[in-house]
Amino acid sequence: MDTRRKGFIVLILFILLGIAAVIGFTDFYIPDAIGRQGVIREIIKACNGVIIAGCFTFLIIYALIKKRLVKTLPGILILISVIIPDLLVAGSVSKGIMALNSNPITIENCNYELEYRAGTLSRTSMRKTRYYINIAKEYSPIPTRIRIDKSSYDYLNSNTPNVTISYYPYVNIASEINIWK
């Protein structure tokens, strides 16, 4: 491969990684959404992961080919350990698409518990605060944890009315929360 082609490929990889970084940082500062908008946002985040994982996979495969380690046992193990995260992230994209194609599941008059996971901002992780509603086991064999937005969490935390909730399966994001007394 000539130098010009290598430079062009490296430029494309850096542009893709720059776009992924911008998407990641803007996602951190935008509040969570529910409904179709929340599912689309999850798909965009998963596609961002596909871009990042694909770029690093390409770089590692290129390094293995250049050093002629592809046909050796360490090279094969490195390839397997690099490709598995790509497949997992691609599975997240497909789960989001399946959620958009399916109808929301509705649960009426449910008993619930509220939960939140506080975000941390440190050198090792950047996580936002996420709010969840846990549906009791009587409606499903496994307790269902559905992600909701902050305003719904605040209202449900101060009042305990009867709730009818519909959510998208596969990603467990609330579609609509109906509160009646």
Side-chain angles (χ1 to χ4, degrees):
M1 208 185 287
D2 60 341
T3 315
R4 187 175 186 176
R5 186 177 291 170
K6 285 180 189 177
F8 183 70
I9 290 173
V10 168
L11 178 67
I12 289 174
L13 289 177
F14 279 123
I15 289 172
L16 285 174
L17 286 173
I19 291 170
V22 168
I23 291 172
F25 283 118
T26 56
D27 178 63
F28 184 72
Y29 292 106
I30 297 173
D32 280 337
I34 62 172
R36 203 165 189 76
Q37 191 176 29
V39 176
I40 291 171
R41 185 172 173 181
E42 287 298 312
I43 293 172
I44 290 171
K45 284 182 357 186
C47 288
N48 195 21
V50 168
I51 291 171
I52 293 170
C55 288
F56 284 118
T57 301
F58 179 78
L59 290 174
I60 291 172
I61 289 173
Y62 177 73
L64 288 175
I65 289 173
K66 189 171 182 177
K67 294 187 179 194
R68 299 177 190 198
L69 293 174
V70 176
K71 295 182 181 178
T72 63
L73 181 63
I76 292 171
L77 292 175
I78 290 171
L79 281 175
I80 290 172
S81 65
V82 166
I83 291 174
I84 287 175
D86 291 342
L87 296 175
L88 292 174
V89 173
S92 298
V93 173
S94 68
K95 282 181 9 181
I97 292 171
M98 288 188 308
L100 278 181
N101 289 332
S102 65
N103 293 326
I105 298 172
T106 303
I107 300 174
E108 296 179 358
N109 294 335
C110 57
N111 296 327
Y112 64 90
E113 294 176 359
L114 295 174
E115 172 187 356
Y116 74 95
R117 296 205 174 180
T120 59
L121 181 60
S122 66
R123 290 184 296 165
T124 57
S125 68
M126 291 179 70
R127 244 183 30 204
K128 294 192 317 185
T129 302
R130 295 272 169 100
Y131 301 96
Y132 298 99
I133 182 170
N134 294 323
I135 305 299
K137 289 184 181 181
E138 59 205 39
Y139 299 100
S140 67
I142 301 171
T144 305
R145 189 171 81 185
I146 302 167
R147 195 167 73 209
I148 59 175
D149 58 345
K150 183 173 179 2
S151 61
S152 299
Y153 176 84
D154 290 339
Y155 183 77
L156 291 173
N157 199 18
S158 62
N159 301 323
T160 55
N162 292 330
V163 173
T164 299
I165 187 166
S166 60
Y167 68 97
Y168 286 98
Y170 305 110
V171 290
N172 290 349
I173 295 176
S175 169
E176 186 177 354
I177 300 172
N178 294 325
I179 302 167
W180 35 288
K181 296 180 181 182

